[in-house]
Amino acid sequence: MTTVTAKRPGRLSRWLQHTANSRTVSKIRARGGSQMGMELLVLHTVGRRSGAARTNPLAYVEDGAGWVVVASGGGQRHPDWFDNLTARPGDAAVEVHGARPVPVEVAVLDGPARQAAWQRLSEAIHSLTKYQARSARTYPVVRLTPR
């Protein structure tokens, strides 16, 4: 997988994203994780530099006992949650429909496993293929499995 280096979003953009994420996480905890026809979970990570706890709402598809997500946000760079997740995978947990967070194993998929997961994700998230076509980077696909 290639690492893409690009300019970080500005302060206002990051504030708007954090505010929107916080509101969505609150909605997931209060009413469950369905929004705009997609199922959402809350990913818990720890900041790779700050060490601060982070939460991000993500669309997912079920994968056996676990979940598959895609790192599609972030413009021309991977989203911060993905960088945090891969830097500190032992600190990751998933919260589904407001249930208690479950610690997870993290696997970034490639080859046939990624292709199969991508197919399922793109069927569940209709705009995903369109956004991938516009990006210079390949969106990472991640399997999260309860420990």
Side-chain angles (χ1 to χ4, degrees):
M1 178 172 54
T2 343
T3 301
V4 176
T5 304
K7 183 180 171 189
R8 292 178 58 87
R11 199 175 267 171
L12 176 62
S13 177
R14 292 175 62 79
W15 178 84
L16 288 170
Q17 187 66 51
H18 286 287
T19 300
N21 283 353
S22 179
R23 288 181 179 163
T24 302
V25 166
S26 295
K27 288 177 186 176
I28 291 169
R29 289 177 174 155
R31 297 189 304 245
S34 186
Q35 192 172 47
M36 297 186 307
M38 297 179 291
E39 290 297 314
L40 302 177
L41 58 74
V42 178
L43 176 65
H44 294 254
T45 59
V46 173
R48 64 194 176 283
R49 292 186 303 259
S50 69
R54 305 286 187 209
T55 56
N56 292 92
L58 300 174
Y60 73 94
V61 293
E62 290 186 0
D63 183 56
W67 310 272
V68 177
V69 297
V70 60
S72 59
Q76 294 306 317
R77 54 187 301 277
H78 296 320
D80 289 341
W81 68 260
F82 177 78
D83 292 336
N84 292 338
L85 182 67
T86 54
R88 298 180 72 155
D91 294 325
V94 167
E95 181 181 336
V96 179
H97 300 294
R100 289 202 153 147
V102 175
V104 292
E105 294 290 330
V106 176
V108 178
L109 303 178
D110 59 1
R114 183 193 182 280
Q115 289 175 320
W118 178 265
Q119 179 64 36
R120 293 180 46 233
L121 283 161
S122 62
E123 289 170 3
I125 307 167
H126 302 293
S127 57
L128 190 57
T129 304
K130 176 176 68 173
Y131 289 129
Q132 175 64 87
R134 293 181 186 169
S135 180
R137 68 181 176 89
T138 300
Y139 292 162
V141 174
V142 182
R143 177 177 292 131
L144 305 166
T145 309
R147 280 190 240 151

